[in-house]
Amino acid sequence: MKLGYCTITWGGVVGHPVGVTSVKDLFYLTHGSMDTAVKDIAAAGYQGVEMFDGNLAHYEDNPEQLRGILEEAGVSLVSVYTGANFVYADILPDELHRIQRAAELAATFGAERLVVGGGARRAAGTTDEDYRRLGEALDRVTDIAETAGLTATYHPHLTTIVESPDELERLMPLTRIGFCPDTAHLAAGGADPAAVIRKYPERIRHVHLKDLRKDPFSFLPLGQGELDFPDIVQAIKESGYDSWLMVELDEYDGNPREAAEISRQYLEELLP
């Protein structure tokens, strides 16, 4: 298994403000420098990176700039993260338009995977129909990704309609998309991450590793929280998945390179 790191820590996650009035242009972004992030990730000993679709869009008119950054650092762009509401029929075409653009950008820069989160929670409450719509939309995302030569995976996430293990169980039979377990988001949603990985071994196509402290709540570098990573890694191995492990940390009160190094050192001790 190869190790990669997500660039989200260099600036945190934001949304492009134009998306407030134009859904088709609502990308995920981190405001940090991708040049700095990629160099720091490479210096910490990782072989690959994951970026947001909005950060790739920044290089759309000058692709050689990002290719040069990646080549100079000696890392590859493994995956691109995007997402949508998915449950509102009227805006779904514009959301899929944006995901199509994200997939094309990912392919342009040599990524292997498209990682997708989402499924909005309605103010009036989530319905069975919402899960049906989410499942159908994720199948369309899978088609979009495959056309671009990518593998699509779904990432359960806090604040979406797929947080808890019961909610994931409702969704999985409704779609053929691959599964991206995020260890900390699964735990925060009430799951045992290793148990979830063991439940869906044949669906795993991508992995996010992240540690968690529940009280007070905080995402943390690997080995600094409460999660049982020896068991999690064993569950991943049992599943037959032997590809990229992407370390992710949504935010860090300090130098993001330091957090990447802490997690890398932990994995060096954990992985044979």
Side-chain angles (χ1 to χ4, degrees):
M1 290 183 277
K2 295 178 287 188
L3 301 181
Y5 204 89
C6 301
T7 61
I8 181 175
T9 321
W10 284 258
V13 60
V14 296
H16 197 295
V18 72
V20 174
T21 54
S22 182
V23 169
K24 70 178 179 60
D25 298 316
L26 180 55
F27 289 107
Y28 284 97
L29 287 167
T30 183
H31 280 324
S33 162
M34 290 301 95
D35 190 1
T36 300
V38 168
K39 289 177 180 176
D40 283 352
I41 288 167
Y46 297 90
Q47 300 167 274
V49 299
E50 179 173 307
M51 292 184 182
F52 286 132
D53 51 357
N55 291 107
L56 281 193
H58 175 75
Y59 296 97
E60 185 172 18
D61 295 331
N62 187 11
E64 291 306 316
Q65 183 181 0
L66 180 56
R67 291 193 185 106
I69 291 170
L70 294 167
E71 183 176 353
E72 181 180 353
V75 299
S76 58
L77 178 65
V78 178
S79 44
V80 176
Y81 190 97
T82 186
N85 295 287
F86 291 123
V87 301
Y88 306 118
D90 187 53
I91 63 170
L92 182 60
D94 280 359
E95 292 183 321
L96 293 177
H97 168 87
R98 179 170 43 74
I99 288 173
Q100 173 83 48
R101 186 177 170 202
E104 291 170 354
L105 284 167
T108 294
F109 293 104
E112 304 172 20
R113 298 169 188 173
L114 189 68
V115 188
V116 179
R121 288 197 183 277
R122 299 176 187 269
T126 303
T127 66
D128 289 340
E129 177 70 7
D130 288 340
Y131 286 99
R132 185 191 67 79
R133 290 184 177 185
L134 175 57
E136 290 182 354
L138 292 176
D139 279 350
R140 295 177 66 180
V141 169
T142 303
D143 291 337
I144 289 170
E146 290 176 350
T147 299
L150 307 171
T151 298
T153 62
Y154 180 74
H155 179 305
H157 203 288
L158 296 177
T159 75
T160 73
I161 64 173
V162 184
E163 297 182 79
S164 72
D166 290 345
E167 291 165 344
L168 181 61
E169 187 172 356
R170 291 181 73 179
L171 172 67
M172 290 296 267
L174 302 176
T175 178
R176 63 185 178 89
I177 198 169
F179 175 38
C180 172
D182 180 300
T183 54
H185 278 276
L186 289 173
D192 173 347
V196 172
I197 290 167
R198 290 187 171 103
K199 185 170 185 176
Y200 302 107
E202 73 287 348
R203 299 287 293 272
I204 296 173
R205 299 290 181 272
H206 196 56
V207 174
H208 279 186
L209 299 180
K210 182 189 307 170
D211 212 340
L212 172 72
R213 181 184 64 221
K214 292 182 179 178
D215 188 20
F217 184 91
S218 180
F219 293 130
L220 296 168
L222 303 185
Q224 298 205 333
E226 305 169 11
L227 300 192
D228 184 352
F229 280 101
D231 193 34
I232 289 168
V233 169
Q234 181 59 34
I236 293 169
K237 291 179 179 179
E238 291 170 8
S239 77
Y241 179 86
D242 62 354
S243 187
W244 289 98
L245 299 177
M246 306 302 294
V247 181
E248 185 185 35
L249 187 58
D250 296 38
E251 57 186 8
Y252 184 68
D253 187 17
N255 187 321
R257 175 172 166 175
E258 175 188 58
E261 291 170 343
I262 292 170
S263 291
R264 183 70 178 87
Q265 182 175 355
Y266 178 80
L267 289 172
E268 285 180 359
E269 298 170 358
L270 178 63
L271 298 174

